[in-house]
Amino acid sequence: MNNVLKFSKKSRKWLFGLMILFVVLVCDQLSKYWILNIFDLPEKRSVEILPCLNFTMVWNKAITFGMLGDVLGQYAPIIFAVLAFSIAVGLFVWMIRASKLCVILSLGAIIGGAVGNIIDRVRFGAVVDFIHLHVNGWSWYVFNIADSAIVCGVGMLLIDAFFRQGSKY
């Protein structure tokens, strides 16, 4: 019985990924709650925070950067949520099998972001996006904390893949 409850040092590393997953998920959902219910961004539509940062309300019914939103019609939120959940499960399996801490943390961030956006799709039929960066006429797509965690996690995985030494994952 004791052996069942004991984790080896290697197998405990994935708990750090789980911790990052929950931190990202909580920060994402709290920020969206605040934007929708306290700051009331849907009513205000867009508010300048800094000269290069606005909070702009966007309900993203599509995939990244608005892709495929109109193609799948009313079933898009369900299809995207199921697809994202399936990918998140696969990434979670990868995370608990991984041995490198940077890979584990990256996957935790990606999964936390994916779950945050899945929750939005299930609750609202769309993802709540509100962070809008712009400089000198250049404007980036409106995004949220979950999107940021996914991009940073993927970036860390790519850096690890290019500069990897030793373990293959």
Side-chain angles (χ1 to χ4, degrees), residues 1-168:
M1 180 70 159
N2 256 353
N3 289 340
V4 172
L5 298 177
K6 280 187 179 179
F7 290 108
S8 70
K9 191 173 185 178
K10 178 184 172 188
S11 66
R12 279 187 291 188
K13 284 185 184 178
W14 70 270
L15 294 174
F16 290 111
L18 194 60
M19 201 165 39
I20 293 295
L21 186 160
F22 283 116
V23 167
V24 166
L25 181 59
V26 167
C27 289
D28 175 66
Q29 290 297 297
L30 285 176
S31 69
K32 291 171 181 174
Y33 176 83
W34 182 79
I35 279 294
L36 294 174
N37 300 301
I38 297 170
F39 192 74
D40 196 25
L41 191 58
E43 183 69 29
K44 297 173 184 172
R45 299 183 62 191
S46 186
V47 176
E48 182 177 340
I49 305 301
L50 296 170
C52 62
L53 170 68
N54 288 18
F55 285 165
T56 301
M57 189 68 228
V58 173
W59 293 99
N60 184 357
K61 295 181 180 183
I63 304 180
T64 305
F65 310 126
M67 294 186 300
L68 298 178
D70 296 329
V71 175
L72 299 173
Q74 70 184 33
Y75 299 106
I78 297 165
I79 293 168
F80 295 148
V82 169
L83 180 62
F85 181 76
S86 302
I87 292 168
V89 168
L91 292 174
F92 187 79
V93 170
W94 181 11
M95 184 179 79
I96 61 176
R97 291 181 178 178
S99 60
K100 292 180 71 176
L101 189 57
C102 68
V103 170
I104 292 167
L105 296 176
S106 300
L107 292 169
I110 294 167
I111 298 164
V115 171
N117 285 341
I118 291 168
I119 290 170
D120 288 5
R121 289 192 192 284
V122 170
R123 286 183 66 202
F124 307 117
V127 174
V128 176
D129 288 334
F130 60 93
I131 302 169
H132 182 203
L133 297 173
H134 53 88
V135 177
N136 294 330
W138 175 86
S139 180
W140 190 248
Y141 292 95
V142 180
F143 59 97
N144 60 42
I145 290 175
D147 298 335
S148 298
I150 292 167
V151 168
C152 290
V154 169
M156 287 173 49
L157 284 177
L158 289 172
I159 290 168
D160 177 67
F162 286 120
F163 298 103
R164 175 183 309 160
Q165 294 177 347
S167 172
K168 67 177 185 178

